[in-house]
Structures are given as structure tokens and as C-alpha cells.
Amino acid sequence: MQDSGAIEPDALIDALKALANPVRLEIVQWLRDPEAAFADYEPIADRAEVGACVSHIQAKSGLAQSTISSYMGTLERAGLVHPTRVGKWTHYRLDEDRMRRVGDAIGSS
């Protein structure tokens, strides 16, 4: 039986698949400190509370909006980020607990 803080095997696989893409991994790294990573962009909302605006993620990455939407959907389904709507904008915040549990699962193997 797994402890209550452990991530389920299927969820771990989904998280690792999401992180296997270099751009998605880079986005996750940016979301670890959105204030620093997106300092060149005027915040639309409190980044400490809601994370980074998807339009800023798209601009920083240089990729098409549709590609970023797909990537963020993958990260969201894996439980690694949480979206928050602020007006017409979607912001993404990293799920620090989920990331810790993914790291713990890898480190305890």
C-alpha cells in the first residue's frame, strides 16, 4: 500500500510524459518562479497567486498560440499546473505539491 502522499503509478507516468517534451519542461521551469521568468512582461494579475498569463508564456516561447494551448492542456491533465481565469486571460500556476511528489517518486526508485 502506498502512503497518502505518494503519487499513483499512472499519474507519475502521465507527469513524466508531459515533462518529456523540452518546451513543456522549460515552461514548468519558468512557472517555478514566474516573477523572475516573466519580469519583462507587465503582469495582468498577481503572479504569486495565479501564475503566469498564457499570452506571456506564448510570447516568451515564441511558439504559436495553438501549440502553447496544447502544451498547457497536457501539463494540466497531468496535474502539474492549475489554470485560473482573470478576465479574458488564463493564467497557469505550477502545482508545487504535485511536482514534489513526482520528484519523490523518482528519487525513491
Side-chain angles (χ1 to χ4, degrees), residues 12-85:
L12 177 60
I13 290 167
D14 290 343
L16 293 175
K17 284 180 182 178
L19 295 171
N21 176 286
V23 175
R24 288 192 298 255
L25 180 59
E26 187 172 39
I27 291 168
V28 165
Q29 291 169 334
W30 294 339
L31 293 178
R32 292 180 69 201
D33 185 0
E35 285 293 339
F38 297 97
D40 293 343
Y41 302 91
E42 185 68 31
I44 295 168
D46 182 5
R47 289 185 182 128
E49 183 179 335
V50 296
C53 179
V54 72
S55 67
H56 296 163
I57 296 169
Q58 186 267 322
K60 186 173 177 86
S61 72
L63 297 174
Q65 182 275 329
S66 59
T67 302
I68 293 302
S69 290
S70 173
Y71 284 178
M72 298 313 296
T74 299
L75 292 169
E76 183 181 351
R77 284 187 299 279
L80 301 175
V81 298
H82 294 290
T84 301
R85 291 287 293 186

